[in-house]
């Protein structure tokens, strides 16, 4: 199958891309700097240059053309409110429109755990980020696509034991980016899992088993 990976060079995306190509998937990796093409191609992907903020829906649709799925794992990463609006909020909305334009049925969105940032002093930038994440979730969940919204806890760069908790409502916690990538790779293999919002943290269950339990 063929997948457009938006955020291919990110913490999750750069882990996910080689997992998918190792399983024999064709992956189109969107990147915004020319220098990033080499790493995408080295991981077995097809590099497509484009900045999500500047790209029109038609340009994004062209990148998605012929794909079976879009995975959206891009994010502004605290680079300012305007970029957060454009990438975390508008980005998935553009991805929905692009998918519909070229008949891509499946969309996987990496979103955020609703309890993120609770308990500390509220910060305007983070509140805005959460508002935009929710706006994107609403747009995706109200679309007619076969969507999955994955809400990981605090992302860690630790290796990850590959043991997770995955479900519709979980206590807040952290999760290795590696495990998030594994969950996305596993979900992609199971098209029957769709129209689901899932929370994800590190836990006790092996990734494949946790995803199988969702399927049941
Ligand atoms: N940090 C957390 O604890 C946390 C928790 C839950 C959910 N999340 C969400 O999880 C997702 C992935 O996280 P991550 O750690 O993998 O993020 P990341 O490492 O910051 O990666 C973000 C990706 O988005 C790309 N991107 C940013 N602006 C772009 C643009 N204008 N056009 C095209 N691509 C652009 C980045 O490209 P470059 O490589 O060029 O920058 C990168 O590939 C994000 O949506 C984030 O909000 C984060």
């Amino acid at each position: 199958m063929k997948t457009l990976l938006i955020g291919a060079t990110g913490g999750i995306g750069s882990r996910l891309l080689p997992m998918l190509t190792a399983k024999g998937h064709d992956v189109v990796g969107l990147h915004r700097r020319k220098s990033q093409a080499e790493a995408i191609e080295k991981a077995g992907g097809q590099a497509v240059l484009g900045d999500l903020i500047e790209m029109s829906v038609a340009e994004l649709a062209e990148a998605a053309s012929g794909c079976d799925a879009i995975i959206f794992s891009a994010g502004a990463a605290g680079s300012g409110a305007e970029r957060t609006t454009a990438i975390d909020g508008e980005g998935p909305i553009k991805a929905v429109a692009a998918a519909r334009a070229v008949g891509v049925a499946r969309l996987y969105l990496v979103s955020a755990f609703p309890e993120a940032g609770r308990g500390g002093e509220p910060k305007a930038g983070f509140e805005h980020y959460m508002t935009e994440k929710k706006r994107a979730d609403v747009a995706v969940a109200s679309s007619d696509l076969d969507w999955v919204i994955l809400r990981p806890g605090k992302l860690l760069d630790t290796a990850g034991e590959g043991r997770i908790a995955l479900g519709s409502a979980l206590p807040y916690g952290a999760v290795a980016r590696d495990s998030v990538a594994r969950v996305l790779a596993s979900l992609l293999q199971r098209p029957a899992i769709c129209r689901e919002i899932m929370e994800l943290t590190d836990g006790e269950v092996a990734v494949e088993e946790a995803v199988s339990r969702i399927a049941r």
Side-chain angles (χ1 to χ4, degrees):
M1 72 179 283
K2 188 172 174 185
T3 302
L4 171 64
L5 179 54
I6 301 174
T9 56
I12 292 172
S14 63
R15 288 168 170 83
L16 176 58
L17 200 157
M19 288 179 194
L20 295 179
T21 55
K23 287 177 194 272
H25 292 261
D26 292 327
V27 182
V28 177
L30 187 73
H31 63 103
R32 58 187 172 134
R33 281 188 289 268
K34 280 187 184 159
S35 59
Q36 295 166 321
E38 196 181 337
I40 290 173
E41 284 161 5
K42 217 171 159 184
Q46 178 196 334
V48 170
L49 188 64
D51 187 310
L52 198 52
I53 298 178
E54 288 156 17
M55 287 174 97
S56 64
V57 169
E59 286 168 335
L60 196 58
E62 195 183 324
S65 177
C67 288
D68 305 286
I70 297 175
I71 298 177
F72 188 102
S73 185
S79 56
E82 265 181 45
R83 290 178 53 79
T84 299
T85 302
I87 299 165
D88 296 272
E90 289 298 323
I93 294 170
K94 259 187 199 174
V96 169
R100 297 189 78 250
V102 287
V104 178
R106 295 161 64 187
L107 175 67
Y108 297 82
L109 174 63
V110 179
S111 181
F113 220 98
E115 285 74 26
R118 284 273 171 84
E121 196 61 34
K123 294 197 178 86
F126 192 76
E127 293 301 312
H128 177 66
Y129 164 74
M130 292 302 289
T131 301
E132 290 301 307
K133 285 296 202 201
K134 185 61 190 282
R135 187 161 72 93
D137 285 4
V138 170
V140 168
S142 60
S143 78
D144 56 3
L145 300 176
D146 292 337
W147 51 266
V148 173
I149 295 172
L150 188 62
R151 293 176 168 168
K154 184 178 171 44
L155 296 175
L156 304 176
D157 277 335
T158 46
E161 305 290 313
R163 296 203 161 255
I164 60 166
L166 182 68
S168 48
L170 299 177
Y172 183 55
V175 60
R177 285 183 168 86
D178 184 68
S179 297
V180 182
R182 288 183 201 210
V183 168
L184 288 164
S186 179
L187 287 169
L188 207 56
Q189 303 279 102
R190 296 167 187 270
I193 302 177
C194 71
R195 305 188 80 79
E196 299 256 14
I197 298 178
M198 288 170 223
E199 297 179 354
L200 169 62
T201 64
D202 283 336
E204 301 298 325
V205 184
V207 168
E208 286 304 328
E209 172 58 20
V211 174
S212 299
R213 288 182 191 176
I214 297 281
R216 290 200 289 269

